[in-house]
């Protein structure tokens, strides 16, 4: 097998040639002392792009989300979020374990919780109740097919939160994908939240790193919590330079990933035995149902095509390291597989 077509995730993207070269010569310092000029440059650039007061470079998106939870709540508080959010499904229970939070999860359809349900979950004053601290949003909503959630919905949730004195955290791991689909700026999406986490290590191709953004006051607390969690890095400019290249050069090309995902979803729509929610294919992912998904995944793997299971679905992700050739290869393998089933 000479070639692997890796559709498992956009996290598999390797740093670009330009990133690798820039890492060799970049200026660095000790970032825990605030001395790394490149980390400082990345943080200012991101804050400017998302129109937030300050940004904080963190090792991973999970750490960024977890720091936000701690900044915006006290242990024993309650948070309201989607039952299929990354924070609930993929962060090893950290909201409970690390932030000491009780989670109130709501059913989600195409990335949206019902705003009336959200309202009902907000606790009033009662000696028995925990305090509701914040509402978490995710856009695009990964588990619902990478669906982009409308700014109107985010605005509605933000208004509910504000009227009750709550904060909003946005898990914007792929915020630029959502913004691209919705044809608006990432800053607009960020404006509906107090804190926002964005990943540099997914579609933007950085090897490592995410950013948490918010007010100066929140980021001051966040910096201290990052240190507590062991996320204070030293000559992190070596990584931050890749983030700068990601934010300045890699956003525009995300549209290619969206186009390939969309073409692939159209292709699947015509195949008997495969079903998918076409409407939710907005960004770079395609989730589909097929009988015995693990068998398909194994069959593709034998041919050097990697995809991942998600419950009883299959997930295919498009990114910088898979092109039209890989897409054609995937389509042919699926045609062969489903043809044999007929
Ligand atoms: C990937 C991802 C994260 C976490 O990022 P890591 O860097 O993998 O920890 C958080 N939220 C969403 C929606 C993600 O897709």
């Amino acid at each position: 097998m000479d070639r692997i077509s890796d559709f498992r995730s956009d996290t598999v993207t390797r740093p670009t040639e330009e990133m690798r070269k820039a890492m060799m010569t970049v200026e660095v310092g000790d970032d825990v002392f605030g001395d790394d000029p490149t980390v400082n440059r990345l943080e200012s650039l991101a804050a400017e792009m998302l129109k937030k007061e300050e940004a904080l470079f963190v090792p991973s998106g999970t750490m960024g989300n977890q720091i936000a939870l701690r900044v915006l709540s006290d242990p024993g508080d309650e948070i309201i979020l989607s039952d299929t959010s990354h924070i609930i499904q993929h962060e090893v229970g950290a909201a409970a374990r690390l932030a000491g939070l009780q989670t109130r999860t709501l059913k989600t359809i195409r990335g949206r919780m019902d705003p009336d349900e959200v309202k009902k979950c907000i606790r009033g004053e009662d000696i028995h109740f925990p305090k509701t601290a914040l509402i978490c949003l995710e856009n695009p909503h990964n588990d619902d097919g990478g669906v982009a959630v409308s700014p109107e919905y985010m605005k509605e949730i933000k208004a509910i939160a504000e009227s009750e004195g709550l904060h909003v955290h946005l898990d914007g791991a792929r915020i630029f994908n959502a913004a691209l689909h919705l044809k608006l700026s990432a800053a607009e999406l960020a404006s509906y939240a107090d804190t926002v986490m964005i990943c540099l290590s997914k579609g933007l191709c950085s090897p490592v790193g995410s950013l948490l953004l918010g007010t100066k006051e929140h980021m001051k607390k966040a910096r201290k919590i990052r240190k507590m969690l062991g996320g204070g890095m030293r000559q992190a400019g070596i990584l931050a330079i890749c983030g700068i290249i990601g934010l300045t050069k890699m956003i525009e090309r995300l549209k290619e990933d969206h186009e390939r995902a969309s073409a692939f979803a159209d292709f699947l729509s015509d195949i008997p035995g495969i079903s998918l929610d076409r409407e939710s294919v907005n960004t770079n992912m395609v989730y589909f149902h097929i009988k015995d998904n693990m068998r398909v995944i194994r069959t593709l793997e034998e041919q050097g095509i990697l995809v991942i299971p998600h419950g009883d679905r299959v997930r295919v992700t498009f990114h910088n390291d898979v092109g039209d050739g890989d897409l054609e290869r995937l389509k042919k393998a699926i045609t062969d597989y489903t043809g044999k089933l007929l």
Side-chain angles (χ1 to χ4, degrees):
M1 201 184 330
D2 25 75
R3 184 175 159 71
I4 299 287
S5 298
D6 195 344
F7 294 97
R8 288 173 301 170
S9 176
D10 45 12
T11 56
V12 305
T13 45
R14 274 147 307 187
T16 62
E17 211 36 52
E18 185 179 356
M19 290 176 182
R20 288 186 188 259
K21 289 206 174 111
M23 290 170 100
M24 301 279 287
T25 51
V26 66
E27 250 191 291
V28 294
D30 187 332
D31 182 49
V32 174
F33 288 115
D35 283 351
D36 192 304
T38 310
V39 172
N40 295 342
R41 190 147 66 87
L42 169 66
E43 292 178 346
S44 314
L45 170 69
E48 204 176 291
M49 286 173 77
L50 294 186
K51 297 199 168 66
K52 292 289 183 201
E53 284 176 20
E54 212 173 294
L56 180 70
F57 187 44
V58 291
S60 71
T62 299
M63 190 185 284
N65 279 338
Q66 292 304 321
I67 291 173
L69 298 186
R70 280 181 92 132
V71 167
L72 301 177
S73 69
D74 294 310
D77 286 352
E78 190 169 63
I79 61 172
I80 300 171
L81 71 177
S82 152
D83 58 356
T84 56
S85 60
H86 193 279
I87 292 174
I88 287 293
Q89 297 292 342
H90 303 289
E91 300 190 7
V92 209
R97 181 84 192 250
L98 301 181
L101 296 171
Q102 172 161 300
T103 52
R104 195 86 178 270
T105 56
L106 290 179
K107 188 168 140 57
T108 309
I109 298 170
R110 289 197 180 132
R112 293 173 42 120
M113 302 178 279
D114 177 348
D116 289 332
E117 288 296 314
V118 171
K119 249 187 240 166
K120 276 191 223 154
C121 283
I122 299 171
R123 307 271 190 172
E125 189 48 47
D126 183 299
I127 193 169
H128 305 89
F129 290 170
K131 178 182 101 222
T132 306
L134 82 141
I135 306 172
C136 298
L137 296 175
E138 186 175 313
N139 200 5
H141 195 92
N142 192 345
D143 278 19
D144 278 353
V147 69
V149 180
S150 75
E152 291 76 23
Y153 165 76
M154 296 182 74
K155 204 170 178 172
E156 195 176 350
I157 296 292
K158 177 73 176 139
I160 294 170
E162 267 172 5
S163 70
E164 301 284 342
L166 309 182
H167 287 110
V168 176
H169 170 64
L170 170 62
D171 177 344
R174 298 181 181 83
I175 195 170
F176 298 106
N177 295 82
L180 175 65
H181 175 78
L182 297 164
K183 300 189 169 60
L184 42 77
S185 67
E188 180 176 344
L189 297 178
S191 75
Y192 305 119
D194 299 285
T195 52
V196 186
M197 186 283 287
I198 68 170
C199 287
L200 301 166
S201 61
K202 293 183 171 166
L204 303 185
C205 299
S206 255
V208 177
S210 292
L211 290 151
L212 180 66
L213 301 103
T215 62
K216 277 198 163 56
E217 200 187 329
H218 285 152
M219 290 309 106
K220 189 171 172 211
K221 266 178 97 178
R223 214 167 272 279
K224 191 134 184 167
I225 296 166
R226 180 185 69 176
K227 189 75 186 86
M228 190 199 297
L229 295 175
M233 297 181 285
R234 303 299 178 175
Q235 285 72 39
I238 295 260
L239 300 170
I241 188 62
C242 300
I244 292 172
I245 294 169
L247 288 176
T248 50
K249 309 240 172 113
M250 302 302 287
I251 292 176
E252 232 174 84
R253 66 150 302 284
L254 294 174
K255 69 175 183 296
E256 285 178 36
D257 303 336
H258 291 202
E259 283 161 11
R260 288 190 185 106
S262 179
F264 181 58
D266 288 339
F267 160 82
L268 292 177
S269 301
D270 293 333
I271 298 184
I274 288 183
S275 64
L276 74 158
D277 181 21
R278 182 67 187 81
E279 293 279 294
S280 71
V281 181
N282 294 163
T283 58
N284 63 331
M285 294 183 180
V286 181
Y287 286 75
F288 62 92
H289 288 274
I290 185 165
K291 192 167 164 265
D292 199 356
N293 67 333
M294 289 312 296
R295 197 169 136 222
V296 188
I297 291 168
R298 276 196 307 273
T299 308
L300 293 176
E301 192 180 349
E302 282 159 14
Q303 300 168 54
I305 301 170
L306 307 182
V307 299
I308 56 170
H310 195 281
D312 61 352
R313 295 177 292 175
V314 178
R315 187 182 90 173
V316 176
T317 307
F318 294 87
H319 54 77
N320 191 44
D321 292 10
V322 286
D324 289 330
D326 299 285
L327 172 58
E328 286 314 310
R329 211 178 154 205
L330 172 66
K331 282 162 66 179
K332 182 171 181 312
I334 288 183
T335 304
D336 290 349
Y337 180 87
T338 51
K340 277 185 204 132
L341 294 181
L342 292 179

